[in-house]
Amino acid sequence: LRANSLQTSPKLVPNALAALLITLTLALASSGLLLWRDTRRRLAAEQALREQHAFRKAMEDSLMTGLCARDLRGRITYVNPAFCEMTGFRADELVGASPPLPYRVPGQRDEAQRPEQIAGAGSARHGYETEFRRRDGECFPVLIFEAPLIDEHGRQTGWMDSILDIAERRRVEEINRRQQEKLQGHARMAMLGEVASALSHELNQPLAAITSYATACENMLREPGDARRERDAAGRRAHAAPAALRAALERIRSQSERAGQVIRGVQAFVRRRRIEREPIAIDQLVHGIEPLIRLQARKWEAQLVLDLCQSAIVFGDRTMLEQAVLNLTRNAAEAMDGLPRASRRLEIEAGPYHEAGRDWIRVAVKDCGCGIAADVESQLFAPFFTTKPDGLGIGLSLSRSVIEAHGGKLRHERRAGRGSVFAFVLPRHRAPATPASAADEPVAAA
């Protein structure tokens, strides 16, 4: 009898258990690796978040602009240190506060729109000015900009207010305003000196005319009566001398009134009074100062030619416009100095003019002088600029100021051939229609 001992093991179960154990071991190792990597990423994200929060906190704390966040019910959810410093309240006193807010002025109308009224405004921002009250009761002006707070789902959760304390800006603006007033006062004083020079410049002409007419009257009065009667045997000159004397005295009176008007015009300028406007016919204005213009033309031996339209009517100050015309005619007469007498021609034209879709009255003063050089043409109207040895350089500047004050324009134009043209345009004034009989009376009286 022979016995053999055989030991055998199951083939399937041990193999399955080993594979399962190996698989679980590998899965556990992979999970550990993934957990380790996720932990590292989470730690890095938390560190970045802390750094970002610290950066934003430092940035908010350094802002001079106050920030105040409110929910849709108006309750304060956040304030920055600048806002606390601005109002004087602590953050714990403000956060959680509901309307009425402690920094609002009691009884003051809140110009901000209610959140529920502008909930659909999206991201639009609007600014408005109002007043806040500090903790000590002092009120100060602020400028507020509002912007909606939007969560990650795109829904509005509240409002963020950016508040600027504009008390300092208001103070600076007030200082600037006062400085501007002082500068304007100094400018007017400087202009006053300029006007004083212009005053002496302009009064010379009417005073010279008064002197001439007075001298003529003295000559007439000194003339012996017997000689006068001998020359006027027919009796015609016996009445001519008194008539001429009356005319001379009338000229003296008119020129004296003109000198007074110039002085009153300077006083009105200094006192900042408004321009006294009235309907003015340009032909009557020029004829009123025609004796002075002829004196200018006679001094420079120039021929005066007038081409005036009777329907040219403007609305302005007579004395100021007369001064502007006299300045232009005097410059035109002086520009022809040195030319042959036969070629000295001073022309004044006035009539309707259409430009830029508007009706104007154009007044042009033309001379036959040497013209204006191209290098000085751009400085013609600059104050105190002159090409004359004894000139003040204020005539054209004042004339332009007068014309612009009447809503017009003064410009220089080159004349074909020889000479210059200084022309200004003024808005045309359409006088209301009057009956024919009433319109004829002033003409007959004149």
Side-chain angles (χ1 to χ4, degrees):
L1 176 65
R2 187 180 58 186
N4 293 328
S5 175
L6 296 177
Q7 295 182 356
T8 59
S9 59
K11 296 181 178 180
L12 177 62
V13 174
N15 292 337
L17 292 175
L20 179 61
L21 181 60
I22 294 173
T23 302
L24 291 176
T25 302
L26 292 176
L28 182 61
S30 300
S31 299
L33 291 175
L34 292 175
L35 182 61
W36 175 78
R37 187 183 65 175
D38 182 71
T39 302
R40 288 182 58 86
R41 289 181 178 180
R42 181 174 180 178
L43 291 176
E46 290 177 353
Q47 181 64 25
L49 183 60
R50 283 192 297 267
E51 293 177 355
Q52 189 72 13
H53 176 73
F55 173 76
R56 292 182 179 273
K57 180 66 174 176
M59 184 172 60
E60 291 175 3
D61 293 346
S62 65
L63 286 177
M64 300 299 295
T65 302
L67 298 178
C68 177
R70 296 175 290 114
D71 59 18
L72 293 178
R73 291 179 295 177
R75 187 175 64 248
I76 297 177
T77 58
Y78 168 79
V79 291
N80 71 336
F83 185 81
C84 295
E85 183 179 358
M86 186 183 302
T87 59
F89 294 94
R90 299 191 309 271
D92 57 351
E93 294 176 325
L94 294 175
V95 175
S98 300
L101 301 175
Y103 53 83
R104 288 288 184 179
V105 178
Q108 184 185 40
R109 177 178 176 269
D110 188 2
E111 297 182 10
Q113 302 181 35
R114 300 307 305 164
E116 58 271 13
Q117 294 176 338
I118 50 178
S123 60
R125 302 183 64 179
H126 67 281
Y128 63 95
E129 292 186 9
T130 184
E131 283 191 354
F132 280 1
R133 185 181 61 174
R134 305 188 198 274
R135 189 185 187 92
D136 58 4
E138 178 189 359
C139 296
F140 62 100
V142 294
L143 177 63
I144 301 178
F145 292 93
E146 290 188 342
L149 293 175
I150 307 299
D151 62 7
E152 65 275 11
H153 302 292
R155 295 174 301 185
Q156 182 177 351
T157 60
W159 293 91
M160 174 63 75
D161 296 342
S162 301
I163 300 97
L164 298 176
D165 186 352
I166 59 176
E168 183 66 18
R169 191 181 76 177
R170 291 279 182 86
R171 188 182 68 83
V172 172
E173 290 177 353
E174 180 65 18
I175 293 176
N176 289 336
R177 185 186 64 80
R178 294 178 181 177
Q179 290 295 333
Q180 288 294 331
E181 290 181 353
K182 290 181 180 179
L183 290 176
Q184 290 177 3
H186 293 319
R188 296 193 71 83
M189 293 302 295
M191 183 64 72
L192 180 59
E194 182 179 342
V195 171
S197 301
L199 177 63
S200 61
H201 185 65
E202 297 296 340
L203 286 181
N204 282 333
Q205 295 186 10
L207 293 178
I210 291 173
T211 303
S212 300
Y213 292 135
T215 303
C217 292
E218 290 177 356
N219 293 335
M220 292 178 185
L221 293 176
R222 291 174 183 173
E223 190 175 5
D226 295 339
R228 188 165 58 246
R229 283 190 295 272
E230 290 176 0
R231 287 196 308 271
D232 303 328
R236 290 190 301 271
R237 296 225 1 141
H239 299 285
L245 183 60
R246 285 194 298 271
L249 292 174
E250 176 64 23
R251 295 286 179 85
I252 291 175
R253 183 188 62 80
S254 65
Q255 294 304 318
S256 300
E257 292 177 353
R258 175 173 177 74
Q261 290 175 355
V262 172
I263 295 175
R264 287 191 295 272
V266 174
Q267 292 175 344
F269 175 81
V270 175
R271 296 175 184 175
R272 307 186 194 184
R273 293 179 179 173
R274 298 178 60 184
I275 299 176
E276 298 295 335
R277 300 179 185 269
E278 60 177 337
I280 302 172
I282 293 296
D283 60 331
Q284 296 179 8
L285 182 141
V286 175
H287 286 313
I289 58 176
E290 183 178 353
L292 297 179
I293 300 176
R294 291 195 178 277
L295 283 176
Q296 295 173 348
R298 189 179 303 115
K299 178 180 178 181
W300 301 100
E301 299 179 348
Q303 180 186 1
L304 179 62
V305 179
L306 302 179
D307 183 11
L308 309 174
C309 177
Q310 296 182 356
S311 62
I313 301 176
V314 298
F315 194 69
D317 188 289
R318 180 180 297 273
T319 302
M320 297 179 69
L321 293 179
E322 288 177 350
Q323 296 301 316
V325 174
L326 283 175
N327 281 332
L328 297 180
T329 55
R330 180 176 57 253
N331 291 341
E334 294 178 357
M336 294 184 287
D337 185 24
L339 297 180
R341 296 181 181 177
S343 60
R344 300 181 186 181
R345 185 182 176 92
L346 175 59
E347 303 178 19
I348 304 177
E349 298 178 357
Y353 184 70
H354 189 77
E355 183 183 56
R358 294 185 59 185
D359 290 330
W360 306 83
I361 298 300
R362 182 176 183 270
V363 180
V365 178
K366 304 179 180 180
D367 63 71
C368 301
C370 57
I372 304 296
D375 56 341
V376 301
E377 188 172 2
S378 60
Q379 308 179 57
L380 278 177
F381 301 100
F384 304 108
F385 174 80
T386 181
T387 57
K388 305 174 187 176
D390 56 347
L392 296 176
I394 60 176
L396 286 177
S397 176
L398 287 177
S399 299
R400 185 181 65 173
S401 299
V402 168
I403 299 303
E404 290 180 351
H406 286 76
K409 302 176 183 177
L410 174 62
R411 52 200 170 202
H412 167 258
E413 303 172 0
R414 294 187 175 274
R415 190 175 187 183
R418 185 183 181 90
S420 299
V421 179
F422 283 88
F424 63 85
V425 293
L426 294 172
R428 184 174 183 178
H429 176 69
R430 299 186 181 277
T434 56
S437 58
D440 294 338
E441 291 179 3
V443 178

